[in-house]
Every structure is written in structure tokens, then in C-alpha cells.
């Protein structure tokens, strides 16, 4: 099991700050959801020529991986279909160039489940991107978000797609809080397809998510870590601290050390 943080949690840090935090806190990787003002990973200057060569050399010297490229590729979007598919292909190509094992795509844009998602359309688009990823050492992950927070539905989509380059990103918050799933049930359903986690803690207050530092919410993250450890999970568990979208959240300089200490202390037990 390896650990990373998403750059969603440090929107004001520059690339040097991000690398320094990963190195100093002994994270294994960095999940890319924007650097500075640039959210579209293929446009981040450090991942474009000629800078990409020195970027990769620096990462290798620090023994830090890019754990995931987290896209805003909306597989449900029929109005911007070709743009979204091109985004998916761009992210796959970049992931292949920088040895990122997975990219994230979304089947629903809403945090809460919406009723107007064409599940078959999402499945068809996931299949196309998975087929595009063949031979590129990249897996395309559909996140447990919106209607796909229902892991029964999500697992059925992966069975329908039936491509080795398609998988699941388990955001632990959504199935637990919006569908009332136990983490054991969620894990059992999606484990065959699981390649990345977004871990966070939270509570629901008046129907709204209130994000907390690890151990201060009610998500049974200890159980999740035990499930992963006991099953020999070798992928990434990534802190997704949504600071970019919620400026009132605690600063990453506090949250990132607390997370890595919490999870590493638990798996040593």
C-alpha cells in the first residue's frame, strides 16, 4: 500500500512546494489535480516539453511517483461528448509519458446522486477510453461519485465494460454517506476493479458534507485500511482534501502531516 496527496488540497503551492512536502513528509506519490491556476494536467508547464524531462528526473531522484491524474472528463456529457473524449485521451497520453498508473474520469458531476445519468452511455465511453489505453500502461478509473456512489451499480458497469484497462476509484465518502453502504460491502463489490482510493473523513450536517481531519469524522477509515492491508492491496491511498473548492478548510501544512502519520501509524499496528 502506498500513500499520496492530491494537489486539490494545496491550490496555493507551487510545484517546488508540492515536491518538498511529498519528500519531507515521506509520501510515496503525488496525485495531480492542478498546479497553481492550471487545472488541466496536460497544460501544466512541468509536464510539457522541454520541461518534462527535468520534471521526471527530479521525481526519480526524490523517489516520488505521480500516483494519478485526476481529470474532469465527464463521461455522461452528451453535449460536449467529443471534447470530453479528447480530454480522456489527452490524460491517458500524459499519464503514459510520466508513468502515472491511472487517470480518474467521472460518470456523474454531482456530489449527490442525480437522476438523469445515462448509465449505458457512460459505460460505452469508459470502454472506448479503456481500449484507447491498451498498451500505454494506464488504467481508466470511474469514481464512486454521484449515482456511481452506489457500488452495486458501479460494479455492474465494470462488468458491462469488461476491459482490463477500466477500473474503479473508491472515494470512501460517497458510498458511505449518500448510499448508507458499509465499507465492507463497498469493498467486496469493487475490490476486483480497485486501483486507487480517495480517503477523507467527514460528517453530514443538515444534508451537507463537513470535511474533517482523519479521525474527527465518522467514516470508518481504520476499517478500510484494515481491509486493504489484509487483502494485500498494493495501490495508492490518496488524501483528497478539497481545499481548492473550500477555502475555509484547514491549511495543507497541517492536514498533510496529520494524514500521513495517521495512516502509517495504523498500518504498522
Amino acid at each position: 500500500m502506498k500513500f499520496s496527496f492530491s494537489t486539490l488540497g494545496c491550490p496555493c503551492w507551487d510545484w517546488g512546494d508540492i515536491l518538498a512536502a511529498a519528500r519531507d513528509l515521506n509520501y510515496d506519490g503525488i496525485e495531480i489535480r492542478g498546479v497553481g491556476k492550471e487545472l488541466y494536467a496536460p497544460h501544466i508547464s512541468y509536464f510539457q516539453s522541454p520541461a518534462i524531462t527535468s520534471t521526471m528526473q527530479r521525481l526519480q531522484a526524490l523517489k516520488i511517483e505521480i500516483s494519478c491524474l485526476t481529470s474532469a472528463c465527464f463521461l455522461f456529457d452528451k453535449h460536449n461528448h467529443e471534447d470530453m473524449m479528447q480530454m480522456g485521451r489527452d490524460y491517458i497520453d500524459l499519464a503514459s509519458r510520466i508513468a502515472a498508473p491511472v487517470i480518474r474520469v467521472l460518470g456523474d458531476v454531482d456530489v449527490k446522486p442525480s437522476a438523469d445519468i445515462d448509465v449505458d452511455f457512460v459505460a460505452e465511453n469508459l470502454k472506448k477510453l479503456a481500449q484507447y489505453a491498451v498498451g500505454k500502461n494506464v488504467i481508466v478509473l470511474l469514481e464512486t461519485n454521484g449515482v456511481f456512489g452506489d457500488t452495486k451499480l458501479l460494479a455492474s458497469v465494470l462488468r458491462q465494460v469488461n476491459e482490463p484497462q477500466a477500473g474503479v476509484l473508491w472515494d470512501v465518502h460517497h458510498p458511505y454517506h449518500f448510499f448508507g453502504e458499509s465499507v465492507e460491502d463497498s469493498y467486496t463489490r469493487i475490490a476486483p476493479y480497485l486501483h486507487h482510493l480517495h480517503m477523507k473523513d467527514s460528517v453530514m450536517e443538515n444534508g451537507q458534507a463537513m470535511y474533517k481531519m482523519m479521525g474527527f469524522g465518522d467514516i470508518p477509515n481504520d476499517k478500510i485500511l484494515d481491509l486493504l492491508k489484509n487483502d494485500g492491496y498494493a495501490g495508492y491511498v490518496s488524501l483528497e482534501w478539497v481545499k481548492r473548492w473550500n477555502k475555509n478548510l484547514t491549511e495543507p501544512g497541517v492536514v498533510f502531516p496529520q494524514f500521513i502519520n495517521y495512516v502509517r501509524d495504523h498500518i504498522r499496528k
Side-chain angles (χ1 to χ4, degrees), residues 14-121:
D14 63 23
W15 184 237
D17 294 331
I18 293 166
L19 289 177
R23 176 199 63 201
D24 294 346
L25 297 173
N26 292 316
Y27 276 86
D28 303 294
I30 300 165
E31 177 179 337
I32 302 298
R33 184 68 172 107
V35 174
K37 294 181 179 179
E38 183 56 72
L39 276 171
Y40 196 79
H43 291 170
I44 293 171
S45 61
Y46 300 99
F47 300 138
Q48 295 181 320
S49 296
I52 190 170
T53 300
S54 60
T55 296
M56 295 308 298
Q57 290 172 345
R58 182 64 172 151
L59 287 166
Q60 290 164 7
L62 295 173
K63 298 182 179 179
I64 296 169
E65 299 175 314
I66 301 300
S67 64
C68 175
L69 296 181
T70 311
S71 80
C73 176
F74 299 152
L75 299 187
F76 60 88
D77 189 346
K78 296 182 178 181
H79 299 292
N80 301 288
H81 176 245
E82 183 47 41
D83 288 344
M84 289 297 160
M85 295 302 285
Q86 185 59 52
M87 182 189 299
R89 293 189 290 268
D90 288 349
Y91 268 74
I92 290 166
D93 289 341
L94 176 59
S96 184
R97 288 196 296 274
I98 64 176
V102 299
I103 72 161
R104 187 283 301 269
V105 297
L106 287 170
D108 192 346
V109 70
D110 293 325
V111 174
K112 294 182 180 180
S114 53
D116 58 351
I117 297 297
D118 185 337
V119 174
D120 289 337
F121 184 71

Side-chain angles (χ1 to χ4, degrees), residues 143-144 169-177 181 183 186 197-202 219-221 224:
E143 184 174 336
T144 58
L169 188 159
W170 184 14
D171 186 304
V172 302
H173 167 81
H174 301 287
Y176 184 77
H177 276 308
E181 296 186 5
V183 295
S186 295
L197 279 84
H198 281 168
M199 184 165 275
K200 61 188 72 169
D201 213 343
S202 61
I219 296 178
N221 284 303
I224 294 170

Side-chain angles (χ1 to χ4, degrees), residues 215-262:
F216 292 91
D218 60 15
I219 296 178
N221 284 303
D222 288 356
K223 286 185 180 180
I224 294 170
L225 290 168
D226 288 341
L227 287 167
L228 298 171
K229 179 181 177 181
N230 292 339
D231 214 18
Y233 173 74
Y236 269 94
V237 175
S238 192
L239 170 64
E240 189 185 52
W241 188 245
V242 293
K243 179 73 170 176
R244 184 176 285 273
W245 314 135
N246 186 342
K247 303 300 185 186
N248 294 323
L249 289 178
T250 304
E251 292 298 320
V254 175
V255 178
F256 288 8
Q258 192 265 351
F259 174 83
I260 196 66
N261 288 330
Y262 183 99

